Structures are given as structure tokens and as C-alpha cells.
Amino acid sequence: MLRKIEALFLGGRWRRDEHAWRVWQEVEPLIPERFPEPGELGRYPEVLRMAGRVVRIYQYARRGSKAVVDFGPVVGIQDTWWEHKRPPVGNWVIVHAHLWLPPGTHSEQQVFWIDEWESWADGKTPMRARRHQRRMEKEAARLGGADTHNAAFANSDRGSPRSIDEDLPPTSVGPLFQTTAMAVDASLDQVMSTASEIAAGMGARAYGPTEVGGGVLLSVWPAAGEPTFASVTARSMPEGGAWVGVSAQSLQSEALDIVGDISGVLQSRLGGLETGTNPPERAGDYDRGATRKLEAEIQDLLEAMSADPSAWEHLSGAVYEREVLLQHLTELGA
């Protein structure tokens, strides 16, 4: 009787767990057990079929996405390039990829170029699969080692990963990022006063400017209640002028247009320097573990803001506090 009651109330979760278990049987073996040797994988004809979890997208453009993907305990977290695609943040993906080595990569570090995005599975799949595995083991022990798979499940087609939807709604793939940088013929005060004027003209809420990381930061929130903000940063250059960065983070890809809006006005009002001008060099490396923690906290706050727009003012202030710390650690994203 107890098992019938459990089946009545927990049947839906059991089916989801069983589905996750079947999916994980396909995904888990594709988590790479070794790092490919340089030159081992050419783009043609052979690429590596592998699985990983999309940690975050740190830049989205018309040509594709730059994303951080965790390929498991051996290969670890890697920079990836998704040409003309936007992967689902927080979820597992099965991809075909080749190793893209510098020089010429977008980060000047090794990058996994995603040649084909085969399928994806929910980020909770491993947890649900383990729960189902424990349930099967308990049932097998109860029945003295008998096969406990329900025939209805075994004959179902729920075990394959979901096919990819190239037109996933923006809110289903987590926060998105976009950034640009330029050299302008102006002082830090001129940059910040102009950025503040632009924010006021947009009717936006502004936090700052704040001195941080060897320069100045201004945060612009274009619409109350929306989980979107832009950061304007400026650092002086030894040869004169300022290096200005404009970045945005949001849950909606169309909101990232604010980067082009702000940077375009800044450059037109302040005057750009020659395109060959380089940003000031960073004094040293930064704690990437600390920056990832702050980025995750900002992501959580944006998602909380989306769920409860009435808390926008409080949460936007909390985001700015973390953005100040993040920009300080990275020396304004240098």
C-alpha cells in the first residue's frame, strides 16, 4: 500500500528522474578523460565529440558566442567559441569541437571551437540520474538483485537528450554579456561626465562614478525593474587620453544594444584616437576564482531581480557593490 501511495504522489518525479538517468547514460561517457594533444585535432576531417556544462556566456555577438564550458575533472573549464550559436547556460551540451590554438584566437589563449552542437540536457540531469540510480539499487536489494526497470519506462522514447532549439528565448539561457573598448582623446573626468549625461538623457539610473582598479567606474541601469546594466570604465594612458570600456550584462539579448548606444555617443562626443592604440598593461594576474564567484553572485541577483521586479532598487545596488569589487580585481577588465 505504501508503495502505491508513493507512486501516486511521486510518479511524476520518478519519471523525470528515470528520464534523466537514461540521458546521463549517453552524456557521461562523452565527458573527456584526457586533454587532446596540440595538433591532434584538425578542424577537418576529425573533431572531438565531447560533453560539458555551459558555465556562462561572457560575450554575445552577431557572429556567435564566447562561452566558458566545464568539460569535467580532467579537461576542466575551457574557453569556447560558438559560431552563429548561443548555448544554454547552466545546461549540459554534447558538441563536436576542435582545438583552436593561438596566435589568432579571440583570447590569445587556447580555445575549443564548437563545430557542431548536437544536443543538450537539463543542468540537473546528473543529480536526478544519481537519485534514480540510488532508487534502483535499493529496489534491487529489496528484490534480491532483480532487474527493477519498469517496462513502461524501458519501452519509452524519453531517454534521448532533447534536440536543440536554435531559437531558445533569451531568458532561458541565463545572463548574456557584451563588451567593447576604445581609446578617446579625453580625461577621466570628461569621460565620466559625458557618460553621466548619456545616462540622464536615457532616463537611466546611474551608480558612481567610483574610483576603482586604477581608474573610474560608472554603472548605468537603463530601465527600472529590468535585469540589465552597463558598466562604463576609464583608465588614463601614459601617452595621453583614456582607455574606455563599455560592457553590459542582461537576461535579454536585445538589451545588450546599450553597449553600442553608449560607446557610439562617447566616441562621437570625445573623439577617438587611432585604432592601433593599445590599453594600459595590467600590473599582474588576478584571482580568477574570486572573479568567478562575484560573477556568479551577480548572475543570481539578476535572476532574483527578474523574479521580483519590486526589489529592483535594492538588488541593483547589490549588483553595483559586486561590480566594483569585480572591476577592482580585474583592473577594469584589462
Side-chain angles (χ1 to χ4, degrees):
M1 176 60 72
L2 178 61
R3 294 186 58 77
K4 289 183 179 179
I5 294 174
E6 288 178 341
L8 177 62
F9 287 98
L10 301 176
R13 191 175 80 168
W14 287 356
R15 286 179 173 83
R16 290 191 295 271
D17 289 352
E18 197 274 346
H19 167 56
W21 183 85
R22 291 183 175 277
V23 170
W24 194 240
Q25 303 314 297
E26 181 171 348
V27 174
E28 187 176 27
L30 295 176
I31 297 174
E33 297 180 350
R34 64 183 181 85
F35 199 91
E37 296 292 332
E40 177 183 1
L41 299 174
R43 185 168 186 177
Y44 302 107
E46 183 183 6
V47 294
L48 185 66
R49 186 171 183 248
M50 56 201 302
R53 187 179 66 84
V54 182
V55 177
R56 67 183 178 93
I57 297 174
Y58 66 90
Q59 187 172 348
Y60 176 68
R62 293 185 184 276
R63 294 188 299 109
S65 304
K66 299 175 185 178
V68 176
V69 178
D70 186 352
F71 288 106
V74 177
V75 172
I77 293 176
Q78 298 292 326
D79 192 4
T80 62
W81 168 247
W82 301 66
E83 191 172 27
H84 303 303
K85 297 178 180 67
R86 177 159 51 93
V89 173
N91 292 296
W92 289 84
V93 290
I94 296 177
V95 298
H96 298 252
H98 72 274
L99 197 57
W100 181 23
L101 296 173
T105 66
H106 58 245
S107 62
E108 291 304 322
Q109 305 292 326
Q110 65 186 18
V111 175
F112 275 105
W113 183 299
I114 307 303
D115 295 275
E116 180 184 347
W117 176 12
E118 182 178 310
S119 58
W120 68 281
D122 188 272
K124 296 180 180 179
T125 295
M127 178 271 290
R128 289 172 173 163
R130 287 192 294 269
R131 187 164 60 196
H132 183 69
Q133 181 68 36
R134 290 193 298 268
R135 188 180 297 123
M136 289 194 300
E137 291 169 354
K138 289 179 181 178
E139 186 69 2
R142 188 182 72 84
L143 299 177
D147 184 2
T148 60
H149 262 129
N150 186 301
F153 289 158
N155 293 329
S156 75
D157 61 353
R158 292 170 57 86
S160 58
R162 286 172 284 182
S163 60
I164 296 164
D165 181 0
E166 295 288 357
D167 296 317
L168 288 170
T171 54
S172 70
V173 296
L176 305 172
F177 303 82
Q178 188 162 320
T179 184
T180 189
M182 58 190 170
V184 298
D185 187 14
S187 67
L188 300 190
D189 287 342
Q190 289 174 315
V191 172
M192 287 296 122
S193 63
T194 303
S196 297
E197 291 172 4
I198 295 171
M202 297 168 58
R205 172 73 177 269
Y207 290 93
T210 302
E211 293 185 6
V212 58
V216 187
L217 165 69
L218 180 76
S219 183
V220 179
W221 292 78
E226 294 298 323
T228 299
F229 72 96
S231 293
V232 180
T233 62
R235 290 172 292 155
S236 296
M237 295 189 296
E239 61 272 24
W243 184 262
V244 178
V246 182
S247 61
Q249 183 171 341
S250 179
L251 297 177
Q252 301 176 349
S253 59
E254 61 271 19
L256 299 178
D257 291 342
I258 189 174
V259 170
D261 295 340
I262 293 177
S263 61
V265 177
L266 281 172
Q267 194 162 26
S268 66
R269 291 191 186 180
L270 300 176
L273 298 175
E274 59 269 19
T275 56
T277 304
N278 295 317
E281 293 185 6
R282 187 194 298 116
D285 204 356
Y286 57 88
D287 186 338
R288 298 179 187 276
T291 58
R292 284 196 293 268
K293 181 176 182 296
L294 287 168
E295 289 166 351
E297 290 176 0
I298 291 174
Q299 174 174 334
D300 291 342
L301 288 167
L302 290 179
E303 291 174 351
M305 187 181 296
S306 178
D308 183 13
S310 65
W312 179 87
E313 186 166 356
H314 166 69
L315 294 175
S316 62
V319 168
Y320 184 65
E321 292 174 359
R322 287 158 178 81
E323 180 71 0
V324 168
L325 292 173
L326 182 63
Q327 296 288 0
H328 176 73
L329 285 173
T330 62
E331 296 184 11
L332 300 178

